[in-house]
Amino acid sequence: LAGGIAAANARSEYNYGRTVLSWAKTAAVIEALVASGANIDAQDRYGRSALHHVGTPEQISALISAGANVRLLNDNGDYARDVDNAHRRILHDDAVIARSIATLS
């Protein structure tokens, strides 16, 4: 029963279609949600995925390691790396982007 509840909650949507995954604060929570069935590339009503919302290097790395699509565009035509967020500097690191894209090939 607890596993079923965790899986259902992992896929739940809140606040403008944001999923629980887009609110996750730590890599461990991201990994647990993905393991419980969270859709890593689910987009909210503005086309933003969890990768558009998170900001720390640990969160970004956890999402990319779990297979987040770095090529998703939001409704404004922005990739996650282009979203204005002071904590997102890691997404502008060409090496991180190259590794992310390589995992999609």
Side-chain angles (χ1 to χ4, degrees), residues 1-84:
L1 179 61
I5 292 170
N9 287 339
R11 292 185 296 272
S12 296
E13 292 183 4
Y14 305 95
N15 196 11
Y16 299 100
R18 282 183 68 175
T19 63
V20 174
L21 190 58
S22 71
W23 294 98
K25 299 295 183 201
T26 67
V29 171
I30 290 169
E31 292 162 2
L33 288 168
V34 170
S36 294
N39 178 352
I40 198 157
D41 289 323
Q43 292 174 281
D44 65 18
R45 72 170 61 169
Y46 301 107
R48 297 173 298 203
S49 67
L51 198 52
H52 285 90
H53 286 287
V54 300
T56 69
E58 294 78 17
Q59 292 168 313
I60 293 165
S61 293
L63 286 168
I64 291 171
S65 294
N69 183 352
V70 298
R71 296 182 185 141
L72 282 179
L73 297 171
N74 66 15
D75 290 352
N76 292 328
D78 297 319
Y79 293 104
R81 65 177 262 165
D82 299 324
V83 174
D84 183 23

Side-chain angles (χ1 to χ4, degrees), residues 89-102:
R89 291 180 185 29
I90 189 172
L91 277 179
H92 293 280
D93 180 333
D94 290 337
V96 171
I97 294 165
R99 283 194 306 272
S100 303
I101 291 172

